[in-house]
Amino acid sequence: MATKKKSKRSLAKDEKRHRKTFWKLILSGIILFFLVFVLASWGLFGKLPDETSLENPEKNLATEIISTDGQTIGKFYKENRTPVQFEDLPKHLVNALIATEDVRFYDHSGIDAKGTFRAIAFLGTRGGASTISQQLAKLFFTESVSRNKLDRVKQKIKEWVIAIRLERRYTKEEIITMYFNEYDFVNEAIGIESASHIYFNKPPSELTISESAILVGMFKNASLYNPRRNPEGVQNRRNVVLGQMAKYGFLTKDDRDSLQQTPLTIDFTPQGHDEGIATYFREYVRSFMHDWTEENPKTDGSNYNIYSDGLKIFTTIDSKMQEYAEEAVDEHMKHIQKEFDKQNRKNRIAPFRDITPAEIETILNSAMRRSDRWREMKNKGIKEKDIIDSFHKEIPMKIFTWEGSKDTVMTPMDSIRYHKKFLQASLLSMTPQTGEVKAWVGGIEYKHYKYDMVKKGKRQIGSTFKPFVYATVIDQMHMSPCDTLPNTPYTIETGKYGLLEPWTPKNSSGEYGGMLTLKAALAQSINTVTARLIDRVGPRPVIELIDKMGVETEEIPEAPSIALGTADLSLYEMVGAYSTFANQGIYIEPTLITRIEDKNGTILYQNVPVAKDVISKEAAYVTISLLEGVTQSGSGSRLRGTWRKGSPVYDSAVTGYPYDFKNPIAGKTGTTQNNSDGWFMGMVPNLVTGVWVGGEDRATHFSNTAYGQGATMALPIWGIYMRKCYEDEALNVSTEEFTKPEDLSIETDCSKWKEENENRDDIPSEFDL
């Protein structure tokens, strides 16, 4: 018995000792934990971020290009990140994150004690313990996760310290917002704003529950659960997130089951500079910002960085009008290219015409030396002979087609010739009263054709120059559209205006005779009448006029031939100049960027419109009246009704022709020598739009004027674009009459003028109105 009692006392002592040992270990562990925590906060395991860094965590923010209707049409970035506010996040997106990543998020202060002890006890087999705050700390301040276990433990401890500091400094909503803004969803989608646009083509506020679950599922491992590469894994992960939402009461079981059965829907919309709308315009903005940042440093003297400073660039571009403009170019150019290719089937030097083999070689060699490939190889120090040889060796590449980029194998030199066969196009659309540019299309496809034909490219403008001659005559000589001139050959003699030989222009039709009103002469683009007019005022006043309208005139010769459009001008200059007529004689410099803000909304730049009086309201209105005649009875009349039924260029299924516009339209077509360039400038009271179409080289052109004229190459793009704009009533594009000056003293109604002057002896009975 004594032995048994002693044994019981011994067991009791042992149990008591074990309990003490257990609690000593627990207490020691807690003390050690807090000691390690304190030592970490003192920087024993490495430098911690200071208060300034916590207040402003370093991050690269994308600069946004914003349209006048509030849409982001492009970005410049090192990391494609655009921050959003908590209010922009749908509730189910936040719920999905909490249910999946940190269900006790609102109950802890940065470290989830329960989760931490569970993770230690079960060695992470029953889930991790990392809170949203810790993951945010890791994103902000852990540059790379160490593979060394000891170093990773040190990193983890530092993340605990930082997480608690973040919790003290920010609200729970701010931490969630920062986490969504900071995470890299791959495919250049950093942050929830970029991710929702890139994967679903919509802002975060419009994400569905299923879409939110997909993005939250990527937090586990974005590379593994990449919607582009692992759709099956993404769908499975989405369903896990939906299950977690149901588990914690954010979804009903029925909703979970229903959503888990839905297919994966991804609308992948890349945001690289080559993709999206307004690519040529965005490149103009990049150039503008390069100069602006050099001239406008920060207060500390450093320059703004458009790739990381999160600037907002507010522009005049209307995203819908830009979309309609690009659609119009695509629809017409696809169609006319087929005809161009057809006409070149038997052309042995296609896509060129009327040049020698030596000239072709010069064109191709010049293009070779301007290519990215040449520049990159030159920068690497490769010998010129080796570079040239490389252009004649077949390699895999992507080439442009109207059905999309195509993988093929060919030599770079063959690729240059292949890409030169495609006709190019540009469009610029502007509000004349404000100078605001609403649409800018610099070419047919930015990836393969980066040279901008709106502002950089200058081409011969043909008859679109004639209205400047007429406007000068009206302004200086008070002539009326109803005044008549003979349609007969006209010669300006040698010596006048510095001519070295007589100048006798011919009509493109080869037809002469009779008398024509100025209105009829411009509508029919009669060269002989234009020659008579420029001889009355001289070339110098015409050049002075267009100079006031924003045209660079340094290289325009003071010669009468400029009246027929021999000068090379840009579409940008032409639209700005024509807008003067629609704006009652006042030129307003085209405006593209209205203001620039920093990431905090501070205005750094505010545009101030530049305007000047050029001609009288009367002269501007009379010129508009003349140009209305072009769309009523001249080459622009195709906008009014049917034209040559059956013509392949006007296939209604493709181009939407006939356009059948009934409203007032002032316009002018232009065609240059050898049909190298086709132009159309069209105006309604509150919108001026210009279109150019032609080959990359002047030797790339149609063989006949039927297809090579501006009325065929360029006018249809204007028609398709305007039709789309009119169908969108929210744009409020005018169908009204042009504003008529109250004190108009020049008669513009030639039928009325004829009745009042029918008994005059000096008016020939056969003149054409």
Side-chain angles (χ1 to χ4, degrees), residues 453 458-461 567-569 677 679 692 695-696 698:
M453 288 303 295
K458 294 192 175 189
R459 295 294 282 262
Q460 203 173 67
I461 57 174
D568 286 358
L569 300 181
D677 305 275
W679 294 78
W692 166 86
E696 190 175 88
R698 296 175 202 255

Side-chain angles (χ1 to χ4, degrees), residues 461-467 508-509 519-527 578 626-644 649-650 657 659 661 665-671 678-682 705-706 708-719:
I461 57 174
S463 293
T464 53
F465 190 90
K466 290 177 181 176
S508 59
S509 65
K519 195 163 194 173
L522 186 60
Q524 297 173 36
S525 207
I526 302 299
N527 291 339
Y578 265 67
L626 284 168
L627 291 167
E628 284 185 280
V630 175
T631 68
Q632 291 164 353
S633 60
S635 55
S637 61
R638 305 178 185 207
L639 294 170
R640 299 297 182 187
T642 57
W643 178 269
R644 295 184 185 178
V649 177
Y650 292 101
Y657 184 83
Y659 314 108
F661 294 118
I665 299 171
K668 186 71 187 79
T669 59
T671 308
W679 294 78
F680 183 72
M681 306 296 300
T705 304
Q709 62 181 300
T712 304
M713 289 211 292
L715 178 144
I717 294 176
W718 192 95

Side-chain angles (χ1 to χ4, degrees), residues 68 315-318 321 427-440 572 575-584 586-592 609-611 682-690 721-722 725 731-734 738:
T68 190
T315 73
T316 60
I317 295 292
D318 184 289
M321 296 175 79
L427 178 152
L428 189 69
S429 192
M430 174 177 139
T431 303
Q433 290 77 21
T434 63
E436 294 181 349
V437 172
K438 296 299 179 184
W440 174 311
Y572 181 87
V575 170
Y578 265 67
S579 292
T580 307
F581 301 134
N583 194 34
Q584 298 183 304
I586 300 172
Y587 168 75
I588 297 186
E589 186 177 303
T591 298
L592 298 136
V610 177
M683 298 180 282
V684 296
N686 66 348
L687 195 66
V688 176
T689 304
Y721 168 67
M722 290 299 292
C725 288
L731 296 177
N732 198 30
V733 178
S734 176
F738 288 90

Side-chain angles (χ1 to χ4, degrees), residues 414-614:
D414 286 341
S415 170
I416 290 173
R417 186 160 189 156
Y418 167 83
H419 283 103
K420 284 187 175 293
K421 80 170 187 175
F422 288 95
L423 295 173
Q424 299 297 310
S426 57
L427 178 152
L428 189 69
S429 192
M430 174 177 139
T431 303
Q433 290 77 21
T434 63
E436 294 181 349
V437 172
K438 296 299 179 184
W440 174 311
V441 184
I444 59 172
E445 201 249 14
Y446 186 76
K447 281 184 183 178
H448 292 89
Y449 300 98
K450 287 185 166 55
Y451 191 73
D452 175 58
M453 288 303 295
V454 166
K455 201 167 191 290
K456 285 185 179 179
K458 294 192 175 189
R459 295 294 282 262
Q460 203 173 67
I461 57 174
S463 293
T464 53
F465 190 90
K466 290 177 181 176
F468 302 130
V469 178
Y470 280 72
T472 305
V473 170
I474 292 165
D475 195 44
Q476 294 195 2
M477 305 186 69
H478 220 61
M479 291 187 73
S480 162
C482 309
D483 286 335
T484 61
L485 289 172
N487 179 20
T488 56
Y490 185 79
T491 299
I492 298 179
E493 66 273 15
T494 302
K496 195 172 187 180
Y497 312 121
L499 291 175
L500 299 177
E501 57 185 26
W503 183 63
T504 308
K506 298 178 180 178
N507 290 335
S508 59
S509 65
E511 298 177 359
Y512 304 90
M515 300 288 288
L516 293 174
T517 60
L518 296 191
K519 195 163 194 173
L522 186 60
Q524 297 173 36
S525 207
I526 302 299
N527 291 339
T528 57
V529 173
T530 307
R532 292 175 185 273
L533 292 176
I534 198 166
D535 194 25
R536 291 194 177 192
V537 294
R540 172 46 47 187
V542 177
I543 293 173
E544 290 173 352
L545 174 73
I546 61 173
D547 183 73
K548 295 176 184 176
M549 291 177 167
V551 175
E552 294 179 0
T553 59
E554 292 83 359
E555 296 185 13
I556 298 179
E558 196 172 322
S561 59
I562 63 170
L564 306 186
T566 56
D568 286 358
L569 300 181
S570 69
L571 183 60
Y572 181 87
E573 292 172 301
M574 290 294 289
V575 170
Y578 265 67
S579 292
T580 307
F581 301 134
N583 194 34
Q584 298 183 304
I586 300 172
Y587 168 75
I588 297 186
E589 186 177 303
T591 298
L592 298 136
I593 296 172
T594 55
R595 74 180 188 276
I596 301 169
E597 295 180 0
D598 68 12
K599 64 182 180 182
N600 299 314
T602 303
I603 296 176
L604 306 175
Y605 166 83
Q606 186 81 50
N607 178 70
V608 178
V610 177
K612 55 185 171 184
D613 292 331
V614 177

Side-chain angles (χ1 to χ4, degrees), residues 13 38 55 217 370 406 427 476 516 576 653 670 707 756:
K13 285 182 180 180
V38 170
E55 184 69 36
R370 293 195 310 269
K406 176 184 174 183
L427 178 152
Q476 294 195 2
L516 293 174
Y707 283 93
E756 293 174 351

